[in-house]
Amino acid sequence: MDKPINLTTTEFVTFSQGLRLDSGRFLTPLTIAYECYGHLNAEKSNTILVTHAWTGDAHAAGWSSPEDRKPGWWDDMIGPGKPLDTNRFFILCSNVIGSCKGSTGPTSINPQTNRPYNLSFPVVMVQDMVRAQKLLIDHLEIPSLLAVIGGSMGAMQALEWGILYPDVPRSIIPIAGTGRTPPMAIALNGLARQAIFNDPLWKKGSYKPDNPPVEGLALARAVGHISFLSSSSMEIKFGRRYSAKDGIFDFFGKFEVERYLDYNGSTFVKHFDTNSFLYLAKALDLFDAAWNFDSLEEALARVKCPSLWFAFSSDWLYPPEQTLEVADLLQNLGKPVEYHLIESQYGHDSFLVEPEKFIPILRRFLDHLAG
């Protein structure tokens, strides 16, 4: 399982027995893509599971090939001497089910039809993603996790690890997370969905892979991306600058912030599947840690391990008060919990843009855990 941090390989495992989902449907066979970094110790006690956000993947660190333009999405956090130190810890990151980045999702072949699932793929929930991850760590014969850490949708997964498998993680570290998706976030995802549904190329999910609904997906991504930012971060990055390519009195001229969203959307559609985007958005909207429980308190009562929560002052997608609500409930239940509000101007994306602001707290927490 040892992997050099500078050049990584995505691995795959398929579970023929599949997985029963919260919807009641079976997903079988089930493939999970994952990457690992560092060394698993003799006691198999030093694993940190990294859980990714909405459109992330298993490639969290290092380089897949010498031709890559950039490393994995959390490369500044994972590696020798970095906060998730591969000299000490065995880092594992898997792609969630429902994605298009190697794990079973809408683009996978439905064994009953020998065609892509498309919209016949079952609705998955964050809880289902975590159950699939449990299959993976059981396959790797890892009995416990030193920590589960992730931001945004990754924070939801970290929390669910504490609820669904209270005896497995020795800590959870949710970053920019919430106990349930708020209506504002659902509303924005609803707009993103309509952008895709209104693209004539979507064809109710049966679009041709070589002719996807790129305009609808690009607009949907732009809606989502706005929610990751903040007014302050937009002011810092763009202000009211008008595009140098356009005349101010050109009716179709654009501000720099508009061109940025256009560029971000046009880049995104080249590497992400539209139906997968929709399924993961649905999983986000459905997330409620109280699912299958009578209350959030009842769900959180199952958490046994210490938890470390980070929220960001300018995050309006999952505002700090929502993170604090969960931390307060855990504290009231007598659970070991830390909550830290990080001052940042970069909105929901702060955990990716300014990790240096919470890294010292994270290092201390991991040092205490590892002994």
Side-chain angles (χ1 to χ4, degrees), residues 301-318:
R302 287 180 52 83
V303 178
K304 294 181 179 179
C305 64
S307 59
L308 175 64
W309 294 78
F310 293 108
F312 299 90
S313 58
S314 57
D315 186 349
W316 61 279
L317 183 63
Y318 302 146

Side-chain angles (χ1 to χ4, degrees), residues 105-110 113 115-122 202-209 273 275-276 279:
T107 61
S108 303
I109 298 299
N110 182 343
T113 64
R115 301 179 65 182
Y117 278 102
N118 294 332
L119 295 196
S120 68
F121 192 74
W202 184 60
K203 298 180 179 179
K204 295 185 177 180
S206 296
Y207 51 86
K208 295 181 180 179
D273 171 64
N275 284 340
S276 297
Y279 271 88

Side-chain angles (χ1 to χ4, degrees), residues 162-347:
I163 294 170
L164 295 177
Y165 302 105
D167 294 318
V168 178
R170 305 208 297 283
S171 69
I172 56 173
I173 309 172
I175 305 173
T178 179
R180 55 172 70 88
T181 299
M184 178 64 78
I186 296 171
L188 291 169
N189 285 346
L191 291 177
R193 273 188 284 275
Q194 287 303 316
I196 292 170
F197 296 164
N198 290 337
D199 189 323
L201 293 180
W202 184 60
K203 298 180 179 179
K204 295 185 177 180
S206 296
Y207 51 86
K208 295 181 180 179
D210 59 352
N211 193 27
V214 292
E215 291 188 6
L217 180 57
L219 180 54
R221 174 63 173 180
V223 172
H225 197 68
I226 290 170
S227 72
F228 305 153
L229 306 177
S230 71
S231 179
S232 296
S233 66
M234 286 191 177
E235 187 67 40
I236 293 168
K237 192 166 186 175
F238 307 108
R240 285 182 46 81
R241 293 191 303 277
Y242 209 74
S243 171
K245 298 179 180 179
D246 304 328
I248 290 179
F249 296 107
D250 177 356
F251 182 78
F252 293 101
K254 296 183 177 182
F255 287 87
E256 287 293 351
V257 66
E258 294 177 277
R259 286 206 172 274
Y260 168 77
L261 291 173
D262 288 346
Y263 172 78
N264 185 270
S266 64
T267 302
F268 179 75
V269 300
K270 296 176 182 178
H271 64 83
F272 211 85
D273 171 64
T274 306
N275 284 340
S276 297
F277 181 90
L278 290 169
Y279 271 88
L280 295 179
K282 177 63 73 173
L284 284 167
D285 290 349
L286 291 174
F287 177 68
D288 185 345
W291 178 260
N292 285 330
F293 295 92
D294 290 335
S295 66
L296 184 56
E297 290 91 337
E298 182 183 353
L300 296 176
R302 287 180 52 83
V303 178
K304 294 181 179 179
C305 64
S307 59
L308 175 64
W309 294 78
F310 293 108
F312 299 90
S313 58
S314 57
D315 186 349
W316 61 279
L317 183 63
Y318 302 146
E321 57 266 24
Q322 295 185 3
T323 306
L324 181 58
E325 175 193 16
V326 181
D328 281 347
L329 286 172
L330 286 167
Q331 186 175 52
N332 292 339
L333 289 165
K335 310 295 183 179
V337 57
E338 287 186 36
Y339 167 82
H340 295 274
L341 177 61
I342 307 299
E343 292 294 329
S344 176
Q345 294 181 305
Y346 290 96

